[in-house]
């Protein structure tokens, strides 16, 4: 409910292309939404409550990632001093800190398997609400040309949500038996079909990489090679059946006319890089670059209104400069490295799933800012990094002990 209040709009499939709606969003950038503020405060309070709970058995403090995370948070708070709009930056740093507290506290207390179940439940509810919203508004027309499933979050956000649903459902299916396994495999198929309907290429590419990684980490190497060979044969079959042009159209999710500029992203990235060059060290303040004036300035040069750089890495460079981007990359690399090493030492389905989710975020983040712009996706990112960095390699997931 909290994440729905923060991120979602029940009528977005009806108003997404409306000029007045977009301009209203521009005008509200520096404003404050009461329901969002209350939701973030409640998340912070829930984080405090989780800290008071017993920690999970496999929780372990590792100082290197903790120092990197601490430096990133300190840099975000200090950025208020050099931001063009200190009030906007302060508001967003506070929201980020409350979200970080909730994610870290949850990862400290809740077993990894419980977190995976939470991912499946939340993403599944968001998908159902999205379908209901489009049905009620009359915008659910999957057979219409040019249709993109938006739900209550927009194509990119809904695509990310569907990717999370696919991965978490697969992990639960692999850990279950009989009817449970069948149900969650069917849920993962449904999630994938709706991901295709969003025609969001970032989440689609991220999911492909994540599924390949998950299969490699949870199956024998010979099985992975066999699956790759079968995948190549299937691709060749569809090339022969459809022809190369139709096959590439399918792989580009029906948006091949936008492929040369990644839907206008490459000109946007060029202009963003010019802005990074003006303040390369520490940027323009945490999430403080996209003010109302800059959004309209970029709209004039790009010919369309956008609210971010469409890349988590470029947006981080704009916000906190090269220093902030380096800290972010260090944290992501540390989590992936430790997670992969722990899985090799002690095979674990849930840890493999967490690695796959992080890869989905990293790949999707190349062409999208959803992983750090949405409260739910940012919460998932922070929690996954915490689980991977602060877990013992050999443990019994699900057990809890009292803190010292």
């Amino acid at each position: 409910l909290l994440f729905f209040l923060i991120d979602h709009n029940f009528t977005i499939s009806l108003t997404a292309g409306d000029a007045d709606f977009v301009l209203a969003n521009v005008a509200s950038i520096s404003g404050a939404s009461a329901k969002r503020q209350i939701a973030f405060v409640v998340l912070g309070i829930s984080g405090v409550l989780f800290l008071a709970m017993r920690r999970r058995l496999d929780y372990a403090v590792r100082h290197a990632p903790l120092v990197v995370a601490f430096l990133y948070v300190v840099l975000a708070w200090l950025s208020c001093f050099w931001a063009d709009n200190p009030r906007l930056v302060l508001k967003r740093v506070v929201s980020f800190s409350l979200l970080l507290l909730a994610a870290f506290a949850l990862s400290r207390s809740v077993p990894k398997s419980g977190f995976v179940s939470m991912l499946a439940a939340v993403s599944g509810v968001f998908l159902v609400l999205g379908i209901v919203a489009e049905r009620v508004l009359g915008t659910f027309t999957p057979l219409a040309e040019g249709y993109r499933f938006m739900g209550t979050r927009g194509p990119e956000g809904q695509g990310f949500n569907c990717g999370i649903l696919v991965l978490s459902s697969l992990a639960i299916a692999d850990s279950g038996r009989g009817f449970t396994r069948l149900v969650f495999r069917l849920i993962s198929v449904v999630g994938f079909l709706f991901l295709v309907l969003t025609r969001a290429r970032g989440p689609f590419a991220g999911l492909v990489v994540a599924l390949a990684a998950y299969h490699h980490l949870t199956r024998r190497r010979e099985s992975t090679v066999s699956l790759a060979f079968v995948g190549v044969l299937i691709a060749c079959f569809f090339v022969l059946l459809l022809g190369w042009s139709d096959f590439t159209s399918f792989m580009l999710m029906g948006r091949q006319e936008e492929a040369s500029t990644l839907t206008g992203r490459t000109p946007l990235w060029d202009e963003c890089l010019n802005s990074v060059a003006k303040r390369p060290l520490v940027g323009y303040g945490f999430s403080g670059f996209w003010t109302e004036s800059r959004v309209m300035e970029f709209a004039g040069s790009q010919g369309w209104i956008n609210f971010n750089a469409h890349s988590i890495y470029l947006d981080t460079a704009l916000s906190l400069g090269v220093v902030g981007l380096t800290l972010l990359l260090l944290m992501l690399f540390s989590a992936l490295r430790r997670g992969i090493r722990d899985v090799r030492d002690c095979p674990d389905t849930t840890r493999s799933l967490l690695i796959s989710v992080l890869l989905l975020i990293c790949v999707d983040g190349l062409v999208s800012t959803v992983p750090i712009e949405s409260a739910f996706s940012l919460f998932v990112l922070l929690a996954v990094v915490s689980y991977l960095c602060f877990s013992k390699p050999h443990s019994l997931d699900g057990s809890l002990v009292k803190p010292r």
Side-chain angles (χ1 to χ4, degrees), residues 321-397:
V322 175
V323 176
L325 178 60
T326 301
L327 292 173
L328 173 66
L329 293 175
L330 281 174
M331 182 59 67
L332 295 176
F333 175 77
S334 175
L336 285 172
R337 177 176 174 272
R338 184 164 295 280
I340 292 172
R341 187 175 65 182
D342 290 348
V343 167
R344 287 177 176 174
D345 293 341
C346 182
D348 181 356
T349 299
T350 54
R351 189 179 272 115
S352 300
L353 179 276
L354 295 176
I355 295 170
S356 302
V357 169
L358 187 54
L359 285 173
L360 165 63
I361 293 172
C362 291
V363 175
D364 184 21
L366 291 171
V367 294
S368 172
T369 313
V370 166
I372 61 173
E373 182 185 46
S374 160
F376 174 66
S377 54
L378 180 56
F379 178 85
V380 172
L381 170 60
L382 295 172
V384 166
V385 169
S386 296
Y387 274 112
L388 292 176
C389 289
F390 305 119
S391 293
K392 298 176 183 177
H394 303 284
S395 61
L396 294 174
D397 189 15

Side-chain angles (χ1 to χ4, degrees), residues 166-182:
V166 171
L167 291 172
S168 56
S169 298
L170 277 179
I172 295 174
D174 285 345
S175 301
R177 295 180 180 179
F179 183 71
T180 299
R181 176 174 293 186
L182 175 62

Side-chain angles (χ1 to χ4, degrees), residues 148-172:
R148 299 184 69 184
F149 177 60
M150 295 187 183
T152 56
R153 189 66 187 90
E156 295 292 334
Q158 197 66 62
F160 175 86
N161 180 72
C162 290
I164 294 295
L165 179 61
V166 171
L167 291 172
S168 56
S169 298
L170 277 179
I172 295 174

Side-chain angles (χ1 to χ4, degrees), residues 1-252:
L1 176 61
L2 294 175
F3 291 123
F4 188 86
L5 290 176
I6 294 171
D7 293 330
H8 293 250
N9 181 347
F10 195 80
T11 62
I12 193 171
S13 62
L14 196 63
T15 60
D18 183 70
D20 292 335
F21 174 76
V22 175
L23 291 175
N25 283 338
V26 175
S28 65
I29 288 177
S30 296
S33 169
K35 68 176 183 180
R36 286 174 60 89
Q37 291 177 331
I38 294 173
F40 276 114
V41 170
V42 173
L43 280 173
I45 294 173
S46 67
V48 174
L49 295 177
F50 274 119
L51 285 177
M53 295 172 59
R54 297 175 297 172
R55 56 184 173 89
R56 54 191 169 89
L57 180 63
D58 61 339
Y59 177 78
V61 176
R62 292 190 171 98
H63 295 95
L66 195 62
V67 170
V68 175
F70 176 76
L71 291 176
Y72 185 88
V73 173
V74 169
L75 180 63
W77 277 94
L78 290 177
S79 69
C80 295
F81 292 103
W82 60 77
D84 295 334
N85 189 337
R87 182 180 177 183
L88 173 65
V89 171
L90 178 61
K91 180 183 69 173
R92 293 183 173 176
V93 171
V94 170
S95 298
F96 170 76
S97 300
L98 293 172
L99 201 62
L100 175 61
L101 172 62
F104 174 76
L106 179 129
S107 68
R108 178 182 177 275
S109 303
V110 178
K112 294 189 293 293
S113 57
F115 177 69
V116 173
S117 299
M118 186 209 79
L119 288 181
V122 174
S123 57
V125 169
F126 285 168
L127 176 58
V128 171
L129 289 175
I131 297 172
V132 170
E134 291 206 0
R135 290 286 296 176
V136 170
L137 296 172
T139 56
F140 186 70
T141 54
L143 299 181
E145 184 178 357
Y147 170 79
R148 299 184 69 184
F149 177 60
M150 295 187 183
T152 56
R153 189 66 187 90
E156 295 292 334
Q158 197 66 62
F160 175 86
N161 180 72
C162 290
I164 294 295
L165 179 61
V166 171
L167 291 172
S168 56
S169 298
L170 277 179
I172 295 174
D174 285 345
S175 301
R177 295 180 180 179
F179 183 71
T180 299
R181 176 174 293 186
L182 175 62
V183 168
F184 279 96
R185 283 183 175 173
L186 289 175
I187 291 174
S188 67
V189 171
V190 172
F192 180 79
L193 291 176
F194 275 92
L195 171 57
V196 172
L197 286 177
T198 67
R199 299 204 295 169
R201 291 174 296 195
F204 182 79
L207 180 62
V208 170
V209 173
L211 287 174
Y214 178 77
H215 185 275
H216 179 72
L217 292 170
T218 56
R219 269 74 172 177
R220 292 184 303 175
R221 182 172 299 178
E222 294 82 0
S223 176
T224 302
V225 174
S226 300
L227 182 66
F229 179 70
V230 171
V232 171
L233 289 179
I234 292 175
C236 292
F237 171 77
F238 276 105
V239 169
L240 293 174
L241 180 66
L242 302 174
W244 180 252
S245 60
D246 289 341
F247 177 74
T248 54
S249 174
F250 171 76
M251 294 305 295
L252 292 171

